Amino acid sequence: MDTDVVITGAGPTGLMLACELRLAGVDVVVVERLAERTGESRAGGMHSRTLEVLDQRGVLDRFLAEGELQPVGHFSGLYLDFDEYESRHPYPLMILQSAIERLLEEWGAELGVRVRRSAELSGIRQDEAGVTVELTTGEAAPATLRARYLVGCDGGRSTVRKLTGIDFPGTEATMTALIGDVELPDLPEDYVWARRCPGGDYSAIAFEPGWYRVITSDYDHVADRDDPVTFEQLRDSLIKLAGTDFGMHSPRWVSRFNDAARQAVQYRSGRVLLAGDAAHTHFPAGGQGLNMGVQDAVNLGWKLASVVRGQAPVCLLDSYHAERHPVAERVLHNTRAQSALARPGAQTDALRDVFGSLIVFDDVNRHLRGMLTALDIRYAVDGDHVLAGRRVPDADLKTPDGATRVHELLHAARPVLLDLRGSAEVAVAAKGWADRVDLVEARSEDDHWPVPVLGDVPAPAALLIRPDGHVAWAADVGGGPGTSALRTALATWFGPARQG
């Protein structure tokens, strides 16, 4: 084998997955058709759960230093309030995708990730032992890589998905949006970031002094995805909607998107898997796409590493589709709703007024906030404890070595069995997994932990935390440690116990 895993696509999803695999000691090569990063801004933010994921790996400060936290978010332009108690990182971080990719690539280089550029996937052959990846590199003969697994993180037009024959059904586009990074010297000082017009809508958001991201939406036209996009098209579209171009000039980047929504019917076919936009595409409402891709990577990374290292059976990979497919399905659903709420017309205006009057109610705001931030996700994990399947709250802890937080225990991307009551039964039950699960004894600083949607819940007596930060098992104080259920959870997620 040339490597353990080949990843196609050096975007946020592919780079995050590569870092996760390297943290687990898996050899990985990222294949990218472009010779260098484009520098195009593209996506523009990270939500709470993605910030938590980066915090779990100890690299969040790098991203906070290059972005700006925003105290508000929106659902189709209707403002949402965020709850500071639900997460240490409740607010969206405004940061361009170009910066995210650079920071992830730098982190990956520190971990030993190899990125092979100017190499385009042209063929896939998989067998019982691995996958042969054929690459077009500009040389006379195609190059090949041999790996145990291949993961397609190569975007909505994924070559991996097409060559593997995975269906990608969904709904067709009903509108066209143009996007560009430009200078707008004549934009009024009192301009609010978005405006609705009789023919559509437009927005202008400042990311750096002197230049803006402009987006215009046209609901009367669906452009062919292969048609060229020009600066003049963006200017004409803004004039059509706003009556002026606000002195627009000096474009850095211009592109197009629409509200088509598609999802792969399966995220795994043998030794080939999909993640990020290769697995799901949708209208970029609420900035959920990049975040979902990064979270795909964190869900898949530790599972794929466990299988590659022979610690867990191959069937563990099936849980990746089982857990992440419904998450993307829900995002496609809510972005279709946001697209519908954005359409021009008196009927939609009335619907927005009614919808806006409902958002002021805490339960409605909390429900929508949970969808956008992904803080409310609960995977189908066995066990009736309220934390089972949910992301673990980042509670303050005291350990024999000093103060820490739950998320700091996950920096190495290893499972953690957190014993908050010093139970000898818990330690004995976990002995067979000592080579791959870290046992940590600590005390919680708080009697109750905040859980989105549910509110406060009593601090548990012990809990098993997966590397992605979701709880695989938990036991309440006074309820007994439930070591039989603990052993089942350990075997389910981290493979059979080591003999002897």
Side-chain angles (χ1 to χ4, degrees), residues 334-350:
N334 85 55
T335 53
R336 287 186 182 111
Q338 292 189 69
S339 178
L341 276 169
R343 299 190 74 84
Q347 289 83 0
T348 306
D349 289 343

Side-chain angles (χ1 to χ4, degrees), residues 173-177 218-224 227 240 256 258:
T174 66
M175 52 80 71
T176 296
D218 182 354
Y219 290 86
D220 295 326
H221 173 64
V222 177
D224 189 293
D227 286 348
K240 174 184 175 183
R256 175 195 293 120
N258 57 44

